[in-house]
Amino acid sequence: MLGAISLIVDNFESLSRFVAGIDRLHTLSQVVLKTPAAPTPWADPAPAGQPADDAKPAINAHDPCEPPPHITTRIGDTLAIEGLSLYTPHFGRLLVADLSLQLQPGDALLITGPSGCGKSSLLRAIAGLWHTGSGTVQHPPLEDMFFLPQRPYMQIDTLRSQIIYPSKQTALSDERLLELLREVHLESLSERVGGLNASFDWEKLLSVGEQQRLAFARVLARQPSIVILDEATSALDSANETALYERLRASGTTLISIAHRPAVLKHHTHVLEFKGEGAWELYAAADFRFDS
């Protein structure tokens, strides 16, 4: 009985990947095979005699003969969001309504709010990976941006390759790479594993906290202008978290973080709080307080 009721839970991740793969294949078939698009919920007309629901966003009234609206991106010197409305896939639920903000170089934005309110979806929209909605996102070239997820990708390769990932080659000397490990408090890692050329299954060898610190070394090696952290310090103690945030802030990098711990507030200049149902509010970090 336990095996039967645990089937969905145990396979939830693989089922999610399966659904995502189907969506991508369907999109590909629409382009290559000219298959008709699936019915869209925003195109459903209201039943006869029933008034339109004024509470629904205007996008639900979209003309079914026209392609659905989508989020556009453009390249610029700073990160700016203009009139962004963000939806779940197929416009099922509004996540963010009419969001506008602009970050100057060196600013640090903390995004917080209840689970499922669209925080990670906003990061995907900034990266150009999420198009369901409307509005415009301006960002520097993608090579000047770096994304740190909660669980960084660890390839089975040398320690050197982990530090310079996603690049294949680097002009940094071995001394500089070892210095980067010291800056993220992994000074003993190289000696422990047998040098920069040692190759392991790093995901199994390193703890999640060590993986997160190694991901920060990647940022320092690449020196992007914008770093986006999706709970990228969740497995770190407060001392390591503080040291890594201070190191990034000292470099003048623009930060965008998703976090729930009050301790990270001091490392940011602004706070974007999602309140659910598309509502949001922007604060100066000095004026924001986490709910108890």
Side-chain angles (χ1 to χ4, degrees):
M1 180 177 290
L2 177 63
I5 63 178
S6 302
L7 181 64
I8 299 297
V9 175
D10 292 342
N11 293 279
F12 188 82
E13 184 177 351
S14 59
L15 289 172
S16 299
R17 290 197 300 266
F18 182 65
V19 171
I22 290 176
D23 286 342
R24 289 193 292 270
L25 288 172
H26 177 66
T27 302
L28 179 63
S29 71
Q30 287 181 265
V31 175
V32 176
L33 303 178
K34 308 299 183 183
T35 58
T40 50
W42 67 85
D44 294 340
Q50 180 177 331
D53 185 357
D54 292 337
K56 288 184 178 180
I59 200 167
N60 285 350
H62 182 73
D63 186 348
C65 297
E66 296 290 335
H70 65 278
I71 299 167
T72 59
T73 59
R74 68 169 183 258
I75 302 300
D77 295 333
T78 59
L79 179 66
I81 297 174
E82 302 170 3
L84 179 67
S85 292
L86 196 63
Y87 290 79
T88 57
H90 310 299
F91 292 84
R93 180 167 65 92
L94 177 65
L95 298 174
V96 183
D98 197 25
L99 172 64
S100 295
L101 61 87
Q102 183 169 2
L103 297 181
Q104 300 301 324
D107 282 350
L109 175 68
L110 174 63
I111 304 174
T112 187
S115 178
C117 65
K119 301 185 295 294
S120 294
S121 298
L122 176 60
L123 299 191
R124 296 187 185 102
I126 292 173
L129 302 175
W130 193 284
H131 302 284
T132 312
S134 60
T136 301
V137 176
Q138 172 185 289
H139 59 69
L142 289 180
E143 56 268 22
D144 291 333
M145 303 175 66
F146 205 98
F147 294 82
L148 290 185
Q150 188 173 18
R151 290 294 296 264
Y153 173 66
M154 295 281 120
Q155 54 185 349
I156 302 178
D157 206 335
T158 64
L159 177 57
R160 178 184 288 100
S161 72
Q162 304 307 313
I163 302 173
I164 66 174
Y165 179 84
S167 300
K168 297 289 187 180
Q169 305 290 333
T170 181
L172 299 177
S173 66
D174 287 358
E175 290 76 15
R176 176 54 182 159
L177 296 180
L178 294 173
E179 183 181 348
L180 292 178
L181 290 179
R182 288 193 293 271
E183 290 185 26
V184 298
H185 301 172
L186 288 174
E187 52 275 347
S188 64
L189 179 59
S190 177
E191 182 179 354
R192 192 174 90 206
V193 301
L196 292 173
N197 291 323
S199 182
F200 290 95
D201 186 345
W202 301 98
E203 187 172 4
K204 295 179 180 178
L205 180 69
L206 303 179
S207 68
V208 178
E210 289 174 319
Q211 292 178 37
Q212 290 185 344
R213 279 180 277 167
L214 189 54
F216 271 83
R218 294 172 175 174
V219 175
L220 299 179
R222 195 174 182 88
Q223 296 183 330
S225 59
I226 294 180
V227 178
I228 299 178
L229 307 96
D230 190 353
E231 300 196 50
T233 59
S234 60
L236 298 181
D237 58 87
S238 58
N240 271 309
E241 181 179 65
T242 296
L244 293 177
Y245 262 110
E246 288 179 348
R247 176 64 179 83
L248 289 184
R249 294 286 287 133
S251 68
T253 301
T254 300
L255 300 183
I256 303 174
S257 305
I258 290 179
H260 301 281
R261 294 192 288 193
V264 303
L265 181 60
K266 62 184 177 183
H267 306 298
H268 296 81
T269 58
H270 301 82
V271 178
L272 175 62
E273 183 182 20
F274 287 172
K275 299 177 175 293
E277 303 300 326
W280 56 273
E281 193 160 353
L282 186 64
Y283 304 85
D287 299 331
F288 183 78
R289 296 292 181 274
F290 278 93
D291 294 335
S292 58

